Amino acid sequence: MPAILIVECMQEISSFNPVPSDYELFHIEEGEDLFQHRGRNTAIGGALSVLEATPGVTLIPTVAARADSAGILSAEGWARLSAQILDRVRAGVGGADAIYVSLHGAMGAVGEPDPEGWLLAQIRALAGPDRPIIISLDLHGILTERMIAQVDGIAVYHTYPHVDFADTGARAARLLLDRLTARRPASIVRAVIPALVRGDELITATGCYGDLIRECRRLEADGMVLAAGLMIGNPFTDAPELCSQVVLTTDDPLRGRAEAERLAAAFWALRHRMQGRLIGLSDAVAEARTLTGPVVFTDAADATSSGASGDSNAILRGLLAADYPGRVLAQIVDPQAAEAAHRAGVGAEIPVTLGGRMDPARFTPLEVTARVRLLSDGLTRLETMKTPLNAGRCAVLEFGTVTVVAMSLPAMLFDRAIYYANGLDPADFDLIVVKSPHTEHHMYDAWVTRNFNIDTPGSTSADLASLGHRICARPMFPLDPLTDFTPRATAHLRADRS
């Protein structure tokens, strides 16, 4: 009766966000609380659906720590978080036959550029060489050599915008069960691609990146590999091994290397298409005036789901300067504004500044006089995953034709949950600001007249060369004029497995 230990640690950071994150940002579940993921669209939920349906399997739930994207994690926060995780793993690993670790892959902490690799090395030391460790990763993760050296297989998200959290967890669980009965360890084949990518072509349902992901799925379905992924990293997490890469788990490393090199070459050929196409704010406002029906202004440069601070007021400032006549709905992270509204109460008219406090090198506070329309605790659930969303105390502020949700915390804004939780329906407005590079099609693109990807400053700007990478390997497209690249895949087999 195999016993499977389950552990999770997930956060994505932007190295260019000047506001550090800390331990308090993490939502932590321990022990039996992990079973609350049953039926949820989460990696643990998907893994549970497979493992609990397998006769004879018992589970050892330890700890699941998850934080919204933010700035780099403080050294103190990482020390406390990692100690808590390892304490729980240490307490349960003695009875485990295998381990499933749910990770994002784009963490970063002060003094530790590869937290996931460090954590996996500690878990491997506790588990010893013979227990299989399988991990799941976001396709925006940064898979490192240290991570690969500890594990026996890797399952990677196949969708963007991400909707296959549970599916990825289920694939990881099936891979883990396979490795428990395998007669020999699998190889992990990796082909590194010196390219960072953004833009609409990354939408897997419609873009060219999706065609390559479908090739990965075909390799899995045909049994040519045990697991396949094409990771594009997070270009806002400036780390030594930041890149795009093909990652295969296979029992046939020779064939795996050939397939990885083929996919890497195809990706490289498409690198120019997979760049963000931006429009200047003044041009977008001018065009929006001519359109009938609602429009979206995408503020991907300040996307909290990618690790930005969320306090950019650049679009608001531009709309006010241009005297845009339509009804505007916007988001901003500004705990001081939210607190001032809570002190004043619903219906009060208050002078307030919006944004420009957390990232002052890029933004300055915007002064307005606003009416407090609604106050909330900012607690809701994400549309996609149905997991808790905490934006802290929120205030709906109105001035002129503009309605702003001021939040106290940089919550995930890749769906409409924060608007709905504050009594607002985006469909009631002419222009909606969305601080996320993409959302699921039905949320906005299915019914708006146009979605403008606005060229504004921010710590998650698609103008990657403007960010100032200092740590990642160079040369790197598009940071450098790199034209020549020949893929070379390497196969990794854990030498310590008996």
Side-chain angles (χ1 to χ4, degrees):
M1 294 181 63
I4 311 300
L5 185 144
I6 300 174
V7 58
E8 179 175 80
C9 180
M10 297 193 73
Q11 186 187 30
E12 178 182 33
I13 66 103
S14 169
S15 306
F16 309 105
N17 178 353
V19 183
S21 57
D22 214 331
Y23 175 87
E24 284 71 25
L25 189 62
F26 282 82
H27 175 73
I28 297 178
E29 300 159 321
E30 293 188 316
E32 300 289 318
D33 287 346
L34 270 66
F35 292 128
Q36 295 176 18
H37 286 260
R38 289 184 180 119
R40 288 183 181 173
N41 185 19
T42 64
I44 290 179
L48 290 176
S49 71
V50 171
L51 297 174
E52 292 190 316
T54 303
V57 169
T58 60
L59 300 178
I60 306 172
T62 59
V63 59
R66 178 187 295 267
D68 289 343
S69 302
I72 190 168
L73 181 60
S74 70
E76 297 80 6
W78 170 238
R80 182 177 175 186
L81 177 69
S82 59
Q84 183 175 0
I85 292 172
L86 291 177
D87 283 347
R88 295 298 306 223
V89 172
R90 190 178 292 108
V93 73
D97 297 291
I99 300 170
Y100 167 53
V101 188
S102 168
L103 300 168
H104 181 282
M107 285 188 77
V110 174
E112 180 48 76
D114 180 19
E116 290 99 338
W118 184 91
L119 190 64
L120 287 171
Q122 304 309 306
I123 293 174
R124 172 55 69 193
L126 292 171
D130 296 330
R131 295 177 176 133
I133 298 176
I134 300 297
I135 63 173
S136 59
L137 292 170
D138 192 309
L139 56 82
H140 292 109
I142 303 168
L143 179 66
T144 67
E145 294 279 353
R146 182 162 59 167
M147 294 167 68
I148 291 172
Q150 318 306 325
V151 304
D152 299 270
I154 302 168
V156 180
Y157 295 176
H158 281 160
T159 63
Y160 177 72
H162 307 313
V163 295
D164 65 331
F165 306 102
D167 177 73
T168 303
R171 288 187 288 115
R174 287 191 287 268
L175 181 58
L176 185 149
L177 294 172
D178 175 83
R179 292 298 88 192
L180 272 172
T181 58
R183 295 182 178 179
R184 60 190 178 98
S187 293
I188 296 175
V189 176
R190 181 192 194 202
V192 170
I193 309 163
L196 306 178
V197 294
R198 296 301 288 170
D200 292 343
E201 288 292 338
L202 301 183
I203 299 175
T204 49
T206 57
C208 61
Y209 175 54
D211 295 333
L212 300 177
I213 292 292
R214 282 182 279 280
E215 270 293 284
C216 292
R217 285 177 158 170
R218 183 186 65 81
L219 293 176
E220 290 183 351
D222 290 349
M224 299 173 69
V225 298
L226 299 169
L230 208 170
M231 302 176 66
I232 54 177
N234 176 22
F236 317 122
T237 306
D238 190 13
E241 294 184 61
L242 173 64
C243 63
S244 297
Q245 54 187 309
V246 180
V247 183
L248 309 178
T249 304
T250 177
D251 283 328
D252 186 347
L254 185 64
R255 184 171 191 175
R257 287 177 59 184
E259 293 294 345
E261 290 173 359
R262 178 180 66 84
L263 285 168
F267 184 94
W268 179 253
L270 296 168
R271 68 192 184 281
H272 291 284
R273 286 179 60 184
M274 293 185 285
Q275 297 300 314
R277 295 178 176 86
L278 303 173
I279 182 171
L281 179 55
S282 59
D283 290 340
V285 174
E287 186 171 342
R289 286 176 177 271
T290 70
L291 300 175
T292 57
V295 299
V296 162
F297 274 23
T298 288
D299 191 7
D302 192 41
T304 54
S305 58
S306 301
S309 58
D311 76 325
S312 169
N313 51 29
I315 289 178
L316 279 176
R317 192 180 294 276
L319 291 169
L320 293 173
D323 197 24
Y324 175 75
R327 295 162 298 170
V328 175
L329 177 61
Q331 313 158 321
I332 201 160
V333 178
D334 193 323
Q336 290 90 342
E339 181 60 30
H342 275 262
R343 287 197 306 267
V346 172
E349 293 270 349
I350 59 172
V352 67
T353 62
L354 293 175
R357 289 189 177 94
M358 288 178 270
D359 197 347
R362 294 185 175 97
F363 317 112
T364 57
L366 175 65
E367 296 181 359
V368 300
T369 298
R371 175 181 174 271
V372 181
R373 173 177 168 180
L374 181 142
L375 302 171
S376 77
D377 60 9
L379 298 176
T380 185
R381 294 197 306 167
L382 290 168
E383 283 186 78
T384 301
M385 301 167 67
K386 307 303 182 187
T387 52
L389 177 70
N390 181 9
R393 296 219 288 180
C394 292
V396 178
L397 303 174
E398 296 178 332
F399 49 97
T401 60
V402 177
T403 300
V404 175
V405 180
M407 302 168 288
S408 296
L409 296 174
M412 295 291 195
L413 300 174
F414 53 67
D415 63 17
R416 301 163 296 187
I418 199 62
Y419 285 145
Y420 289 156
N422 286 278
L424 300 164
D425 186 345
D428 294 334
F429 294 82
D430 300 304
L431 189 153
I432 308 101
V433 177
V434 178
K435 288 182 180 288
S436 176
H438 295 102
T439 63
E440 292 182 49
H441 181 75
H442 71 276
M443 293 178 182
Y444 293 102
D445 291 326
W447 52 270
V448 300
T449 302
R450 178 151 181 211
N451 188 332
F452 295 89
N453 194 3
I454 307 298
D455 187 7
T456 50
S459 58
T460 57
S461 170
D463 181 6
L464 302 181
S466 72
L467 294 174
H469 290 78
R470 295 176 299 170
I471 302 174
C472 73
R474 307 293 285 268
M476 180 73 64
F477 178 85
L479 309 181
D480 306 293
L482 183 60
T483 57
D484 296 327
F485 167 66
T486 302
R488 293 286 183 266
T490 55
H492 303 257
L493 182 66
R494 274 208 306 112
D496 62 354
R497 178 99 185 263
S498 63

